[in-house]
Amino acid sequence: MNQHHIQVKVSRDRFKNNISHIRNIVKPSQLCVVMKANAYGHGLESLAPTAIAAGTDYIGICTNPEATIIRNLGSDAAKNIKLLRLRMALPEELNESIESLNIEEQIGSIEAAKYLSEGGVKRGKQIPVHINIDTGMGRSGFFSNQIEELKLVCGLPGINIVGIMTHFASSDGKELDFTHKQIEDFYKARQALKDYVDNNVLTHTHNSAATVRVNNESNRLVRVGAACYGVRTSQDFQNPPELEPVMSVKTNIAQVRKVPSGKTIGYGSLFTTQRDSLIASLPVGFGEGYPRALFNKGIVLIKGHRCPVVGRVSLNITTVDITDVPEPVRWGDEAVLVGIQGHEKITFEELADKFKSVHTEINLMAGFMNQISYV
Ligand SMILES: *Cc1c(COP(=O)(O)O)cnc(C)c1O
């Protein structure tokens, strides 16, 4: 299907360059490129081979179908790449994981640990697992003071503790005090287990924001999602300039109209022209993944100028005020929803900030609803 009215492009080269850059920053740590949620909307099946070619040690996933997509890519590298599940698994997921998908699972409870242990013993294998320690995220895992339980887990047969991990709650925030407290708690627990796990166990705490902001010396593995796609990792910290956005979204103008002063535009008549205006009508709306919440707030690039979205975003139409564009604007001209045009740029994170969301949510909407072309 060739969509003429919207172009969602993903650059494999940029994705690869971002991963290479991150690998260089974190060396000698290993890297897990996080590709859950269909690679944050960028397309798991299309980008997983790129991540593997770029030399990632692990791919982070959440669901069994995601793991299946990778295992079925067809190459030996894809059959053998280490997969790390980034949440607790359901019992049924574990059965399939042990049997065929070979996902390295997190363990956050004695119950799950015993389940995996029995699965390993029954099949005569040592299942590689990662202990999840909750140091403040508060979603799952063992609390960092459950040392006796953790020791018990380390002694179970049929599993091999290859990693000990924690996840940061606010490494993207302004203050990093809580993150440093989490690191301290994590290494206390790690130390308490030193006689119970292999010395080479992979300690891993860092997500994207922490990887670009916080010392990484003690980590043996980092789990990086957002930074690989070139989106901002923290509102309070600039990404290294080498990390470039991977996805762009463009459309073309379906009509240019002269609208007199005092007319209302769109559903609910939420915008009234304050002057004789030029309004461009774009053939995309929230049906194409352009967030409805951007009414009277979004910005679109036309002829290299930042033009405001006026009125409600409809299901398949968005209206933009182009009165201040000095060049003539014509039917069919390009409009950039996310990306670069001339000297101007609009990022997913800029749009997300306008309605208190996160870039990933818009990535997902744009990526899921439109066929992505890979360049
Ligand atoms: C999603 C996820 C990450 C990656 O987070 P980014 O901020 O996108 O780098 C890392 N670790 C865990 C446990 C996750 O769930």
Side-chain angles (χ1 to χ4, degrees):
M1 181 181 52
N2 195 355
Q3 296 203 39
H4 295 287
H5 72 297
I6 185 164
Q7 299 94 43
V8 181
K9 288 201 174 133
V10 162
S11 162
R12 285 198 177 94
D13 279 348
R14 285 190 175 186
F15 185 58
K16 191 169 184 176
N17 292 343
N18 291 345
I19 294 172
S20 303
H21 180 71
I22 294 160
R23 277 189 79 202
N24 281 333
I25 312 182
V26 304
K27 254 188 225 162
S29 262
Q30 294 187 37
L31 173 63
C32 173
V33 172
V34 176
M35 304 192 79
K36 63 194 179 193
N38 197 28
Y40 292 39
H42 293 70
L44 174 62
E45 191 170 359
S46 300
L47 287 190
T50 309
I52 293 169
T56 191
D57 302 281
Y58 276 85
I59 293 178
I61 50 96
C62 276
T63 69
N64 285 9
E66 288 167 348
T68 305
I69 285 173
I70 296 169
R71 294 298 183 221
N72 289 345
L73 282 172
S75 67
D76 283 348
K79 277 199 191 75
N80 297 323
I81 187 80
K82 290 177 180 169
L83 300 180
L84 174 64
R85 196 190 308 270
L86 294 165
R87 60 158 166 77
M88 298 300 135
L90 303 172
E92 284 75 17
E93 289 178 319
L94 284 185
N95 295 341
E96 197 185 11
S97 166
I98 301 170
E99 207 57 65
S100 57
L101 292 173
N102 297 320
I103 303 168
E104 294 187 14
E105 301 286 348
Q106 294 180 32
I107 291 184
S109 69
I110 299 278
E111 194 184 10
K114 286 188 171 158
Y115 195 96
L116 280 162
S117 165
E118 281 161 23
V121 169
K122 207 157 60 187
R123 293 168 182 83
K125 354 185 201 188
Q126 290 283 321
I127 300 173
V129 296
H130 298 246
I131 292 178
N132 178 4
I133 299 182
D134 178 17
T135 56
M137 184 59 169
R139 297 190 302 200
S140 53
F142 291 95
F143 287 105
S144 54
N145 62 2
Q146 286 183 280
I147 300 299
E148 290 316 308
E149 284 90 338
L150 288 168
K151 286 178 180 171
L152 197 146
V153 167
C154 294
L156 289 173
I159 56 173
N160 180 18
I161 315 285
V162 295
I164 306 183
M165 61 179 290
T166 196
H167 194 44
F168 295 140
S170 47
S171 59
D172 61 336
K174 206 180 183 84
E175 303 296 334
L176 288 171
D177 300 0
F178 192 68
T179 303
H180 288 297
K181 171 88 177 53
Q182 285 193 263
I183 294 175
E184 197 183 307
D185 279 3
F186 176 76
Y187 281 101
K188 245 188 238 162
R190 162 77 188 91
Q191 184 63 14
L193 296 175
K194 74 175 180 337
D195 296 332
Y196 295 81
V197 293
D198 192 282
N199 195 31
N200 289 324
V201 71
L202 295 169
T203 43
H204 49 112
T205 59
H206 281 36
N207 57 1
S208 289
T211 297
V212 297
R213 298 174 85 189
V214 183
N215 183 306
N216 179 48
E217 261 171 25
S218 314
N219 264 295
R220 299 240 170 95
L221 172 69
V222 294
R223 308 179 304 264
V224 181
C228 296
Y229 307 98
V231 286
R232 181 190 61 202
T233 55
S234 162
Q235 264 178 315
D236 298 298
F237 191 83
Q238 287 287 326
N239 270 353
E242 292 86 353
L243 297 177
E244 290 190 278
V246 165
M247 185 190 279
S248 66
V249 186
K250 288 179 191 170
T251 185
N252 298 84
I253 295 171
Q255 188 182 2
V256 177
R257 285 206 318 155
K258 283 189 181 147
V259 178
S261 181
K263 291 275 186 195
T264 61
I265 293 180
Y267 284 119
S269 305
L270 291 180
F271 182 86
T272 306
T273 50
Q274 301 298 314
R275 55 181 175 174
D276 291 346
S277 303
L278 265 187
I279 303 294
S281 171
L282 307 181
V284 300
F286 59 88
E288 274 79 15
Y290 193 71
R292 185 168 180 275
L294 286 174
F295 77 93
N296 280 347
K297 295 194 187 80
I299 298 283
V300 174
L301 298 181
I302 293 170
K303 300 281 178 196
H305 298 275
R306 297 170 70 84
C307 305
V309 168
V310 288
R312 275 249 204 294
V313 173
S314 304
L315 186 51
N316 299 112
I317 297 170
T318 299
T319 36
V320 179
D321 187 343
I322 55 169
T323 316
D324 293 330
V325 176
E327 299 91 333
V329 179
R330 296 197 179 83
W331 182 31
D333 280 351
E334 179 186 84
V336 172
L337 304 179
V338 181
I340 294 172
Q341 193 189 51
H343 300 294
E344 287 290 351
K345 178 164 108 171
I346 296 177
T347 61
F348 283 99
E349 39 277 44
E350 177 186 350
L351 294 182
D353 286 349
K354 290 184 188 294
F355 64 108
K356 298 196 167 46
S357 181
V358 289
H359 46 73
T360 311
E361 196 174 12
I362 315 182
N363 275 134
L364 283 170
M365 288 193 277
F368 276 142
M369 293 185 188
N370 301 284
Q371 206 164 292
I372 299 172
S373 47
Y374 293 87
V375 292

